[in-house]
Amino acid sequence: MKLITCLYENEERVGALTEKGVVFLPYPDMNTLIESLPPAALAVTGKAVPLENVKLLAPIPRPRQDVICLGMNYRDHEAEAAKYDAEAFTKDRPAAVYFSKRVSRAGDPDGVIPRYEGLVERLDYEAELAVIIGRTARNVRPEEAGDFVFGYTVLNDVSARDLQTGHKQWYFGKSLDGFTPMGPCILTADETPFPPALDISCAVNGEERQHSNTSLLIHGIPEIIAELSAGMTLLPGTIIATGTPAGVGMGFNPPRFLESGDVAECAIQGIGTLKSTVR
């Protein structure tokens, strides 16, 4: 099932995508839906509204907590990052790199990435598979991790590389307003085998820059959930961005950062395409 948040007649609604269009669901927001029941228990009934009659929003417009992110979780991206700035990106041990991304409101599908002229000179894109936790998770064993996943979406981990490297930490350069486009929908976990092996890509102005598969994660989803839940409680609605493959702007020689007017399209097989325009 594909779940969306949208605007319909100036009202924010939660719905399911069907062959006939959008069927609205009786929940005030996506966070409430996620914490209320597993996807298999969803009853999708009622009249469908044509998809063109709604405006898609990020599936979770207002995450209740910061997004948890994985850094350098594909081998090829780990290598290109170290070439760009060895001091900032070289890993000295094989442990997962975790950081958080502050988001007061997630960016919408077919939305805007702010350019921040005068503050950001090196604006970059990162296509990522985001995992959405569906049940309170604490001390989860890797073999049980799939039972705690509600679904998946596409996330663009927009990054200001100059702020990221200049401050010697990643939080500020990853967390500016508008730097977390998400969507177009949540693909519920029952729609794909666990862990998912899905093609992931990003194109800028129609030119493919990134292409990989989520099966190539260095630290897979079972390991991530088990490791994090060993020391922190993961609440329903928690979003975990699992990392990006090679092909980001800083990986080119010379680097190819985003400029005003550029269109970044992040896509994941079975979920859809997240399109964002830099302005």
Side-chain angles (χ1 to χ4, degrees), residues 34-45:
I34 292 168
E35 67 186 9
S36 297
L37 75 176
L42 277 173
V44 180
T45 59

Side-chain angles (χ1 to χ4, degrees), residues 162-169 172:
D162 37 357
L163 299 182
Q164 183 182 8
T165 58
H167 286 271
K168 307 303 180 185
Q169 48 76 35
F172 184 35

Side-chain angles (χ1 to χ4, degrees), residues 35-117:
E35 67 186 9
S36 297
L37 75 176
L42 277 173
V44 180
T45 59
K47 183 180 178 180
V49 172
L51 180 59
E52 58 266 25
N53 290 2
V54 308
K55 172 179 168 51
L56 288 179
L57 306 177
I60 305 179
R62 291 166 292 278
R64 288 177 172 166
Q65 297 176 304
D66 287 2
V67 174
I68 301 172
C69 301
L70 273 288
M72 298 178 290
N73 203 25
Y74 290 79
R75 296 289 182 197
D76 52 4
H77 177 60
E78 182 180 27
E80 71 177 358
K83 287 181 181 179
Y84 177 75
D85 190 322
E87 181 182 357
F89 294 109
T90 299
K91 294 170 65 174
D92 58 2
R93 58 194 182 95
V97 174
Y98 296 108
F99 61 95
S100 64
K101 187 177 180 80
R102 187 171 183 82
V103 48
S104 55
R105 185 177 179 94
D108 299 331
D110 205 15
V112 170
I113 297 171
R115 181 65 187 85
Y116 289 106
E117 293 283 354

Side-chain angles (χ1 to χ4, degrees), residues 230-253:
M232 66 172 71
T233 300
L234 304 178
L235 298 175
T238 296
I239 302 167
I240 303 172
T242 56
T244 198
V248 300
M250 71 174 178
F252 290 88
N253 186 17

Side-chain angles (χ1 to χ4, degrees), residues 1-5 15 17 30 33-34 39 42 57-60 67 74 109 127-135 142-156 181-200 213-215 217 219-225 237-243 266-274:
M1 187 181 303
K2 291 183 176 181
L3 302 176
I4 64 167
T5 298
L17 289 179
M30 191 66 74
L33 188 160
I34 292 168
L42 277 173
L57 306 177
I60 305 179
V67 174
Y74 290 79
E128 306 204 10
L129 174 72
V131 178
I132 300 162
I133 298 296
R135 297 166 47 198
E143 61 270 22
E144 300 172 330
D147 297 334
F148 291 82
V149 175
F150 180 85
Y152 309 93
T153 192
V154 185
L155 186 146
N156 187 347
M182 190 189 308
C185 67
I186 293 173
L187 180 72
T188 55
D190 57 328
E191 293 288 339
T192 187
F194 183 82
L198 305 173
D199 288 338
I200 179 171
N213 190 281
T214 61
S215 64
L217 293 173
H219 305 282
I221 297 169
E223 176 190 344
I224 293 167
I225 293 175
T238 296
I239 302 167
I240 303 172
T242 56
C266 301
I268 297 181
Q269 177 186 358
I271 302 176
T273 300
L274 172 65

